[in-house]
Amino acid sequence: MVTQENHAAGTVKLGGSGPMHILLVEDDEQIGEGVRTGLALASHAVDWVNDARSARAAVAAKSYEMVVLDIGLPDECGLDWLKDLRTQGIELPVLILTARDALADKIEGLDSGADDYLVKPFELDELYARLRVIERRLYHHADPEMRHQGILLDPAGQTVTQDGNPVPLSRREFSVLKLLLGKRGRVISRRQIEEQLYEWGSEVESNAVEVHVHHLRRKLGTSLIRTVRGVGYVIEK
Ligand code: CA
């Protein structure tokens, strides 16, 4: 149970869903730490900010796949920020957390553009389940299997096969491949790949991306990913 008094970091995987880059906006230290730790253990990259101002800056600076948003923030009502996002046409999926369980607040949240809501206190397992539902609804239909030269990448199952044979990839190798396959024909910079892979502020080995690409080439063939010197990487169409 995640409450003001206690929190527990779940170790349950978000079964069937891939790693996501999640923005967590929560000013309560214990709840924030519990959710952040739980999501990180479930292999998600989480940026945690404490107020609406930082949330605005984060969304302006980086791309996320999901936002977990506390309504009661110190500087602004989370719903006002959410309304601003929608007004700007940003359709980032948002799950709101609210300590208030009045029906009117839930309705206002959904009317403001939230995809779902959870009332505190909540179980981390329920948070995972809700995020999974949102992700399936929004991404897995729009994010079908990717096929390229005998390679089949299944985002939902997080599996890759080549000519029908399973190719075991690490979580990060999978993310790099998915990013490059999803933007076939476009050169993706090392910086863009790093941002996809790592949490804000976490240490990134300067050659980490090169290492992942090296492993992908070893597993899937040297010609798959082309290096564009000084720019980045591309999988040709
Ligand atoms: Ca709060």
Side-chain angles (χ1 to χ4, degrees), residues 26-28 70 72-73 120:
E26 169 63 81
D27 62 310
D28 183 282
D70 178 36
L73 297 172
K120 297 175 187 175

Side-chain angles (χ1 to χ4, degrees), residues 9-35:
T11 54
V12 182
K13 296 273 178 194
L14 291 185
S17 64
M20 287 191 290
H21 200 187
I22 298 176
L23 177 64
L24 168 64
V25 189
E26 169 63 81
D27 62 310
D28 183 282
E29 286 293 321
Q30 286 201 321
I31 294 174
E33 188 57 40
V35 171

Side-chain angles (χ1 to χ4, degrees), residues 143-203:
D143 195 12
E145 292 179 340
M146 300 175 187
R147 291 170 196 276
H148 179 74
Q149 296 180 351
I151 294 166
L152 172 63
L153 182 147
D154 173 13
Q158 270 199 279
T159 56
V160 172
T161 60
Q162 186 172 35
D163 301 325
N165 303 310
V167 180
L169 298 182
S170 74
R171 180 172 71 85
R172 285 174 172 170
E173 288 160 14
F174 183 88
S175 292
V176 172
L177 181 64
K178 185 178 160 191
L179 179 64
L180 290 170
L181 276 178
K183 297 183 189 295
R184 242 167 300 174
R186 282 166 56 187
V187 181
I188 308 300
S189 71
R190 196 174 78 178
R191 178 75 196 267
Q192 283 174 294
I193 298 174
E194 284 173 353
E195 282 181 359
Q196 174 90 8
L197 291 179
Y198 297 95
E199 292 180 50
W200 215 344
S202 65
E203 285 294 313

Side-chain angles (χ1 to χ4, degrees), residues 63-122:
S63 64
Y64 294 94
E65 289 156 297
M66 189 83 70
V67 177
V68 177
L69 172 66
D70 178 36
I71 286 184
L73 297 172
D75 56 342
E76 197 177 328
C77 175
L79 291 182
D80 291 339
W81 175 61
L82 175 57
K83 285 176 196 161
D84 280 358
L85 276 187
R86 298 311 187 220
T87 304
Q88 292 167 46
I90 298 172
E91 292 179 1
L92 190 56
V94 175
L95 182 143
I96 53 175
L97 303 176
T98 172
R100 304 172 294 180
D101 59 358
L103 182 61
D105 290 330
K106 295 176 193 168
I107 293 171
E108 190 191 351
L110 295 171
D111 281 348
S112 302
D115 295 272
D116 202 354
Y117 63 87
L118 264 181
V119 176
K120 297 175 187 175
F122 56 86

